[in-house]
């Protein structure tokens, strides 16, 4: 896991990806249940999303940076890097 990659993802409002160990990665996706809601999910080695939603924010009214601080975001991502 690369902190520069995490910071870039954060500063780009969740666009891009964060590489995790074991070939997994974190990406943001629009929520299928609510318009404007973005979700962070882990994708497995086959490129399929895992069932857990890591974090959600309303992309219509705020940026990712307004929903969570960078230090808290880094700590959150580190929880899933195993």
């Amino acid at each position: 896991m690369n902190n520069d990659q995490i910071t870039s993802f954060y500063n780009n409002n969740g666009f891009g990806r964060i590489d995790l160990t074991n070939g997994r990665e974190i990406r943001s996706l629009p929520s299928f249940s609510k318009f404007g809601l973005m979700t962070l999910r882990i994708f497995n080695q086959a490129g399929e999303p895992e069932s857990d939603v890591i974090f959600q924010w309303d992309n219509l009214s705020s940026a990712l940076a307004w929903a969570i601080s960078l230090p808290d975001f880094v700590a959150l991502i580190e929880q899933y890097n195993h």
Side-chain angles (χ1 to χ4, degrees):
M1 188 173 71
N2 181 326
N3 280 349
D4 290 338
Q5 189 181 37
I6 294 171
T7 302
S8 177
F9 183 90
Y10 179 84
N11 289 335
N12 287 319
N13 200 33
F15 292 104
R17 70 175 201 280
I18 300 170
D19 296 322
L20 300 174
T21 58
N22 300 323
R24 300 178 325 158
E25 62 186 32
I26 292 176
R27 295 186 229 159
S28 63
L29 293 173
S31 172
F32 298 112
S33 62
K34 183 180 175 195
F35 180 73
L37 187 67
M38 296 295 289
T39 61
L40 291 184
R41 311 256 322 248
I42 294 177
F43 285 74
N44 62 26
Q45 294 170 335
E48 300 166 340
E50 296 180 2
S51 60
D52 293 341
V53 171
I54 298 171
F55 188 77
Q56 294 181 325
W57 75 100
D58 184 349
N59 198 40
L60 293 178
S61 63
S62 66
L64 178 58
W66 293 351
I68 188 171
S69 70
L70 179 57
D72 289 344
F73 185 72
V74 171
L76 175 70
I77 299 304
E78 286 176 349
Q79 293 177 28
Y80 293 92
N81 192 38
H82 51 78

